């Protein structure tokens, strides 16, 4: 019989590397997995469960809130507030930090999350995801506050996402590689399917909302034009854009390529949120051998100043991201010699 590793076994094994580990973190990750299985179930039945469509409000970023955004947010909060491992949470869907009710125990971690990513796609039965980021608390017990949440990405102890795609996948890192698990629906367990993912150093896919092309600055336009030129080995790149960060990132992580949500005239800092989109995705990319930058600095070095702050995101295969940075610096890129 083939021995298969579950997510819980994998986390437990990784925690054995830390002699002082209390099991707290293992418990937290297991609770996140439980929440994501509940959401996966709701997403799979969305068309018949009466949960498609808009909730009738806008979130703090100005996006239309979908019913499944609300539902997924509630699932994470309900499962994790009673876990005993957290002292504070922050969600894309909540303007303010989410405190732990007084009658539940508090723990040493903070949890930041995008409960449903790509939700504008949900009514079209397109892949969506959840993204999360975990930090250790900085303040002493009882004094938790916004500073525990506003930590730079290099402080993350864990980052991950769940992709509700043609199968449900849980992908996470604690700084020892990026590992992927596929939900086996027959037993309800995440099974290790993609151990220590290594993203290609150079890819052939570019993923960007090209509808914004004319709003980008000239250097960004030139980079994307360059990728589309049928010149030299590997060009033109193939364009692939779903509009769900988790799904776009996951595909490029496996196949190689570059994802961009740059700044533009309408989105002066891009569209993606640092704390629960860009920073966790950056950690996962780097742990798989890729790179993530805002165009000015590594994403994980950005010091957050606000909970919902946005940053431009350029992430993917290291060579592709480095090439993009050269364009953004205005370097002259030599045309390929005719073959
Ligand atoms: P969310 O559904 O959590 O608000 O995130 C949507 C994000 C992200 O998933 C995607 O990469 C991006 O918005 C797509 O934006 P455009 O529609 O502007 O391309
Ligand atoms: Mn999102
Ligand atoms: Mn979202």
């Amino acid at each position: 019989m083939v021995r298969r590793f579950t997510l819980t076994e994998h986390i437990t094994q990784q925690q054995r590397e830390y002699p002082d580990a209390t099991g707290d973190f293992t418990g937290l990750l297991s609770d996140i997995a439980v929440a994501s299985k509940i959401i996966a179930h709701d997403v799979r039945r969305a068309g018949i469960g009466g949960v498609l469509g808009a909730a009738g409000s806008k979130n703090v970023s100005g996006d239309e809130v979908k019913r499944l955004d609300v539902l997924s947010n509630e699932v994470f909060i309900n499962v994790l507030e009673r876990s005993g491992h957290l002292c504070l949470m922050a969600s894309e869907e909540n303007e303010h930090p989410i405190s732990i009710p007084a009658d539940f125990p508090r723990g040493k971690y903070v949890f930041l999350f995008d409960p449903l990513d790509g939700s504008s796609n949900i009514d079209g039965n397109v892949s969506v995801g959840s993204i999360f980021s975990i930090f250790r608390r900085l303040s002493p017990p009882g004094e938790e506050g916004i500073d525990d949440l506003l930590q730079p990405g290099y402080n993350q102890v864990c980052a991950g996402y769940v992709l509700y795609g043609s199968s449900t996948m849980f992908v996470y890192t604690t700084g020892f590689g990026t590992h992927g698990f596929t939900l086996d629906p027959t037993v309800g367990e995440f099974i290790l399917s993609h151990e220590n993912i290594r993203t290609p150093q150079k890819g052939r896919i570019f993923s960007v909302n090209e509808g914004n092309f004319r709003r980008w600055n000239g250097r960004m336009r030139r980079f994307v034009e360059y990728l589309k030129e049928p010149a030299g080995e590997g060009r033109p790149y193939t364009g692939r854009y779903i509009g769900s960060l988790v799904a776009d990132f996951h595909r490029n992580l496996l196949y190689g390529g570059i994802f961009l949500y740059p700044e533009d005239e309408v989105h002066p800092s891009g569209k993606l949120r640092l704390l629960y989109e860009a920073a966790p995705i950056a950690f996962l990319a780097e742990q798989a051998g890729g790179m993530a930058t805002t165009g000015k600095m590594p994403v994980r070095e950005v010091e957050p100043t606000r909970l919902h702050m946005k940053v431009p995101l350029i992430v993917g295969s290291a060579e592709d991201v480095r090439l993009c940075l050269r364009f953004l610096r205005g370097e002259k890129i030599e045309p390929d010699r005719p073959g």
Side-chain angles (χ1 to χ4, degrees), residues 87-151:
C87 64
L88 203 58
M89 290 184 262
S91 162
E92 177 190 273
E93 301 301 340
N94 293 58
E95 184 172 354
H96 301 293
I98 305 161
S99 48
I100 305 299
D103 41 344
F104 294 133
R106 283 160 202 225
K108 55 176 180 270
Y109 297 104
V110 297
F111 182 73
L112 301 101
F113 62 109
D114 176 353
L116 202 66
D117 171 70
S119 57
S120 70
N121 281 320
I122 193 77
D123 295 350
N125 195 11
V126 175
S127 298
V128 291
S130 302
I131 313 175
F132 62 89
S133 171
I134 301 170
F135 295 92
R136 236 172 241 110
R137 67 184 300 158
L138 299 173
S139 59
E143 290 174 30
E144 52 274 347
I146 189 78
D147 289 345
D148 295 295
L149 298 165
L150 298 183
Q151 298 193 50

Side-chain angles (χ1 to χ4, degrees), residues 202 206-208 216-227 237 257-263 291-296 312-333:
K202 183 170 161 39
F206 76 101
S207 309
V208 66
W216 301 334
N217 64 42
R219 291 175 179 183
M220 181 51 75
R221 285 194 221 175
R222 275 191 286 283
F223 174 61
V224 170
E225 290 290 19
Y226 176 89
L227 297 179
Y237 274 46
I258 186 164
F259 172 94
L260 309 120
Y261 211 113
E263 65 211 48
M291 270 178 78
T293 174
T294 64
K296 295 196 171 71
L313 176 63
I314 299 162
V315 61
S317 296
E319 269 190 44
D320 294 319
V321 174
R322 273 193 225 107
L323 181 66
C324 180
L325 285 173
R326 290 180 61 199
F327 272 87
L328 294 181
R329 284 194 295 262
E331 279 181 34
K332 190 163 162 24
I333 309 295

Side-chain angles (χ1 to χ4, degrees), residues 22-67:
T22 56
D24 232 18
F25 184 74
T26 309
L28 173 56
L29 265 265
S30 301
D31 288 344
I32 297 168
V34 168
S36 68
K37 283 184 223 173
I38 298 172
I39 297 169
H41 174 262
D42 292 337
V43 167
R44 299 261 171 259
R45 297 187 67 258
I48 46 173
V51 288
L52 290 180
S57 57
K58 294 209 163 163
N59 67 16
V60 64
S61 301
D63 307 322
E64 180 184 75
V65 178
K66 299 282 189 177
R67 284 193 209 167

